[in-house]
Amino acid sequence: MTDADTLRARARQAGVSEGFFDLWGAYHPASPASLEALLAALGDPGPAPPVPPVTAVLPDAPQEIAATVPEAPGPWTLTLEAPNGPQALLGAARAPCPDQPGRVELTGRLLTPLPLGLHPVRVEARAGGAAVGGETLLVVSPPRGHEPAALARGERLWGINLPLYGVRSARNGGVGDFEDLARLAEWAAGLGADLLGVLPLHALGNEAPYGISPYFPVSRAFLNPALVAVDALAEAAAPEVRALFAAPAVTAELARLRGTALVDHGPAWALKRRLLAACFGAFGRDHRDGPRGAAFRAWRAAQGPALEDFATFCALHELHPGPWPEWPAALRSPRAPGVAAFRRANGDAVAFFAWTQWVAEEQLARAQARAVSAGMAVGLYLDLALGVDPAGADAWVFQDVLALSASAGAPPDPFSLMGQRWGVPPAIPHRHRASGYAYFRETVARNARRAGALRIDHVLALWRLFWVPGDRPAAEGAYVAERPQELLALLRLISRQERCLVIGEDLGTVPDEVRRDLMASGFLSYRLLIFEKGADGAYRAPQDFPRPALVSVSTHDLPPLDGFWLGRDLRVKAALAQYPTPEAAAAEAEGRGRDRQALLAALAAEGLLPPGVPVAPEVDPRHFDALAPAVHAYLARTPAALLLANLDDLVGEVEMHNLPATLDEHPNWQRKGPVALEDLPGHPRAAAVAAAIRREGRGVR
């Protein structure tokens, strides 16, 4: 066997693909250097454990657990120590293990099945004087996740989606907050909407350029305290807090922050940090020994080590603002002795950051309650980002699970011809599994319990993820395999436990099994109109969309509807030299003209083309306000369970929120909405879009 053969064999054993097919069907083999770098990032998994760390079963299926043991002359006996008591069973060899010579696989079945949930089971196998043992996390998962009652009745619902940070209002601090969210939900419910979606609300660094992307958080489990509505806190009534709000410098800064064209994240957080500190001081004086103080202490205790680690990281980061790998050695792990000493010496600082999470959770829960009280069948629709900043809190806590020397990304596609590297470290499959997928469970459960629906960004990662090693170009990456059936089992269980509908963002090139498995689990697919075209370039007819799906016009990485008609995004990409050649730019511009014409033809075929609008490659901007209701009526006509209308399309925005493959060349994650919250009621275009959706039978009971 040559060195190259050995390398490829090692890659296959580690779940690393030897190449990938791009969106055009061309095969790209991974270079030996890339494979070596990926194997180094994955680390040596060591010998396979005798008992799998995780075993996923359905409640009606036999609850069997396997153990891999050496061949022995006598029979092996398995003992299963489960939460419902020990069970001694005779193990039977199913077959020799093909990848482990000299070993056989035994199975033991729990005679008294365990209920839905997570159950640690201790397995011990004995044959003569030999013994092999280990523990597995038995995941007893429902066959399908949660389905809201309205969808179970066959109703078709719709909602509105927006980036919360960009909401303008007369009372916020220059960044949209949880009070704005609650008021937006009430407004949307008045239009007949059953859900209100937002981009991820995860904890951020809140400093440009790296710390403002909702898809590059410091933690996916915890919330961004910059979104807390300080004026809505009980502590804001304290005299010192009212005086701080009334101080001339503060009122002037609030007015400036509200009036900026773009969100000024850093100064906005600096001011809110100051206001929150004043509120925390009032809390300690006025509420610590009362019911509110008791509620905080009980909540904090219930969060366990996860909250303490996050709050400790935040307090440490204020003293050591650089990336945690550059901190003093005694602080680079949450279990290091220096961290324990820091907690003891800085209890108030840690408590402050724990308290900010409490009030954030409190306000977000209130927004969900107000959404449901206003008549929404689902309420809030949250978004779970794929990964985190490697310099952030989650990476500090889960550094043994995350591959900090690699980045998740995507191979080349029509929207990013050179591929993408997103800068977020992927989880190392064998280490993640060995932990019982603790990080996955923590992040999904915390987000699911906050909302009625949860979108899983880049759901393909449950099956495989494109890894880019080191600083190599994105096109030199390769896919690394996961164990989708175990992850889906956990996702179904959490969905059911938290009564949260799950939507898997399955855009791009995904294997057929992804959508098949999503559907089988009761999860929704994610379909964008501008991608739903046949080989002939014609848009998919409404009746051809699937029922188990969420449909929308576009998303944050794509132009809003008016920007699509104008080709505004293409001009921005050209100005930023994002095309490898002028010919590539011209080809995409020509393709956009064909797409415009095809979409107008699709509207005409459904009798939805507004009067006076020709089916042509160019579109007169004077028709945009009439085309927006027509396009949403087209999507509303589909059998898809959910329709999500972007707020940008309801108010006529042309710029996209994020231009992929840019950092600060474009004002990513900073754009404010063109219409203030107070001006949305009665907005003519928003009302027209909502009316068009209702006419197609959505949100009408």
Side-chain angles (χ1 to χ4, degrees):
M1 181 179 288
T2 67
D3 289 345
D5 292 336
T6 301
L7 178 60
R8 287 193 293 269
R10 289 172 55 213
R12 285 193 298 271
Q13 187 174 14
V16 180
S17 68
E18 297 175 52
F20 63 88
F21 288 95
D22 64 25
L23 202 60
W24 302 274
Y27 184 72
H28 300 262
S31 69
S34 291
L35 291 178
E36 288 281 11
L38 287 170
L39 289 169
L42 282 161
D44 182 6
V51 179
V54 175
T55 302
V57 298
L58 296 173
D60 296 333
Q63 295 187 359
E64 294 182 338
I65 296 172
T68 303
V69 299
E71 291 179 341
W76 283 90
T77 300
L78 289 185
T79 300
L80 306 181
E81 182 70 35
N84 57 355
Q87 301 184 32
L89 303 172
L90 181 68
R94 288 199 230 164
C97 297
D99 56 345
Q100 298 185 57
R103 300 180 73 83
V104 293
E105 187 176 69
L106 309 176
T107 58
R109 178 180 299 183
L110 295 178
L111 299 181
T112 305
L114 291 164
L116 292 179
L118 304 176
H119 310 284
V121 177
R122 176 74 189 172
V123 181
E124 187 171 273
R126 290 186 175 276
V132 173
E135 188 171 281
T136 189
L137 181 67
L138 182 66
V139 181
V140 185
S141 173
R144 296 174 66 82
H146 173 70
E147 182 179 33
L151 296 185
R153 292 191 298 267
E155 296 181 25
R156 297 175 308 133
L157 309 180
W158 76 282
I160 296 172
N161 194 51
L162 60 120
L164 182 57
Y165 62 81
V167 173
R168 298 179 186 269
S169 77
R171 47 148 298 283
N172 71 30
V175 176
D177 58 32
F178 292 131
E179 176 62 23
D180 291 333
L181 181 64
R183 296 183 185 187
L184 282 163
E186 291 165 340
W187 163 72
L191 293 176
D194 277 302
L195 62 156
L196 180 71
V198 287
L199 298 188
L201 304 177
H202 307 321
L204 302 180
N206 293 310
E207 286 286 346
Y210 296 101
I212 61 176
S213 167
Y215 293 94
F216 196 65
V218 296
S219 174
R220 298 189 298 160
F222 294 96
L223 295 167
N224 185 1
L227 305 177
V228 171
V230 178
D231 58 332
L233 294 175
E235 293 78 9
E240 67 270 31
V241 180
R242 293 202 307 270
L244 182 58
F245 265 110
V250 172
T251 57
E253 179 66 350
L254 283 171
R256 184 192 72 81
L257 291 168
R258 290 173 187 142
T260 56
L262 299 173
V263 176
D264 199 355
H265 288 276
W269 167 237
L271 178 57
K272 186 157 291 188
R273 169 71 174 79
R274 184 180 172 195
L275 293 168
L276 285 169
C279 287
F280 181 64
F283 170 82
R285 185 192 65 227
D286 301 335
H287 300 284
R288 187 182 298 273
D289 298 324
R292 190 160 166 78
F296 168 58
R297 287 191 296 275
W299 176 85
R300 183 179 180 183
Q303 306 311 301
L307 174 67
E308 297 309 308
D309 287 344
F310 173 76
T312 301
F313 176 89
C314 294
L316 277 166
H317 194 262
E318 288 201 333
L319 292 179
H320 305 279
W324 63 263
E326 299 175 6
W327 290 357
L331 302 177
R332 292 179 195 162
S333 165
R335 303 294 166 254
V339 172
F342 175 86
R343 280 193 178 112
R344 290 191 296 270
N346 297 271
D348 285 348
V350 174
F352 167 72
F353 286 106
W355 176 84
T356 62
Q357 287 302 307
W358 179 58
V359 296
E361 294 278 6
E362 191 177 49
Q363 290 192 346
L364 185 54
R366 192 175 301 130
Q368 169 69 352
R370 286 167 66 176
V372 173
S373 295
M376 286 188 166
V378 176
L380 299 181
Y381 160 101
L382 302 186
D383 196 349
L384 177 63
L386 170 66
V388 292
D389 181 348
D394 282 6
W396 182 65
V397 174
F398 293 97
Q399 57 188 275
D400 292 336
V401 169
L402 299 178
L404 299 175
S405 62
S407 167
D413 62 30
F415 290 89
S416 297
L417 295 174
M418 293 175 281
Q420 298 178 55
R421 53 177 303 122
W422 299 323
V424 299
I428 299 170
H430 66 87
R431 293 185 184 175
H432 198 194
R433 190 183 189 223
S435 74
Y437 300 108
Y439 182 43
F440 178 80
R441 290 170 16 224
E442 176 81 24
T443 54
V444 174
R446 284 186 179 274
N447 284 276
R449 71 177 56 115
R450 296 167 181 151
L454 180 66
R455 172 187 181 269
I456 308 295
D457 186 41
H458 199 69
V459 76
L460 174 63
L462 303 189
W463 285 260
R464 65 182 192 183
L465 184 60
F466 194 76
W467 285 38
V468 183
D471 295 325
R472 293 179 179 275
E476 294 187 22
Y479 282 102
V480 175
E482 272 286 3
R483 293 179 180 267
Q485 296 312 315
E486 293 176 356
L487 293 167
L488 286 170
L490 288 166
L491 191 54
R492 291 194 304 269
L493 179 63
I494 294 168
S495 168
R496 186 73 68 85
Q497 289 174 330
E498 304 298 342
R499 297 185 59 77
C500 182
L501 173 69
V502 170
I503 299 94
E505 186 268 284
D506 54 348
L507 300 177
T509 304
V510 297
D512 292 341
E513 67 176 305
V514 171
R515 286 174 176 156
R516 184 176 63 245
D517 289 350
L518 285 175
M519 186 181 303
S521 289
F523 302 147
L524 301 188
S525 179
Y526 186 79
R527 305 297 178 95
L528 299 183
L529 176 62
I530 62 175
F531 289 157
E532 292 295 318
K533 296 179 292 184
D536 60 355
Y539 280 88
R540 183 191 294 256
Q543 66 269 19
D544 293 334
F545 280 76
R547 163 69 181 178
L550 178 149
V551 295
S552 188
V553 174
S554 69
T555 187
H556 54 272
D557 285 338
L558 299 168
L561 187 55
D562 286 11
F564 170 84
W565 296 125
L566 290 170
R568 170 64 181 157
D569 57 311
L570 307 185
R571 290 197 291 273
V572 171
K573 287 169 66 175
L576 295 176
Q578 282 210 313
Y579 293 103
T581 64
E583 292 76 17
E588 188 167 11
E590 291 173 9
R592 178 62 58 83
R594 292 191 296 272
D595 288 347
R596 285 189 287 255
Q597 188 165 357
L599 184 51
L600 294 171
L603 294 176
E606 290 292 318
L608 293 171
L609 190 67
V613 178
V615 177
E618 301 300 327
V619 181
D620 190 327
R622 290 176 296 178
H623 296 308
F624 288 177
D625 286 349
L627 282 166
V631 170
H632 285 87
Y634 187 92
L635 282 178
R637 194 168 286 183
T638 70
L642 300 180
L643 161 62
L644 206 57
N646 294 309
L647 183 60
D648 284 346
D649 294 335
L650 270 61
V651 297
E653 179 58 68
V654 300
E655 301 288 353
M656 56 203 301
H657 286 283
N658 175 57
L659 183 62
T662 63
L663 180 60
D664 52 6
E665 306 94 317
H666 184 264
N668 297 331
W669 318 118
Q670 299 172 68
R671 182 167 61 72
K672 292 184 178 181
V675 178
L677 172 58
E678 293 81 6
D679 296 328
L680 286 173
H683 188 280
R685 177 160 158 171
V689 170
I693 292 171
R694 292 196 303 271
R695 280 195 297 271
E696 298 298 331
R698 286 189 182 265
V700 178
R701 298 187 177 87

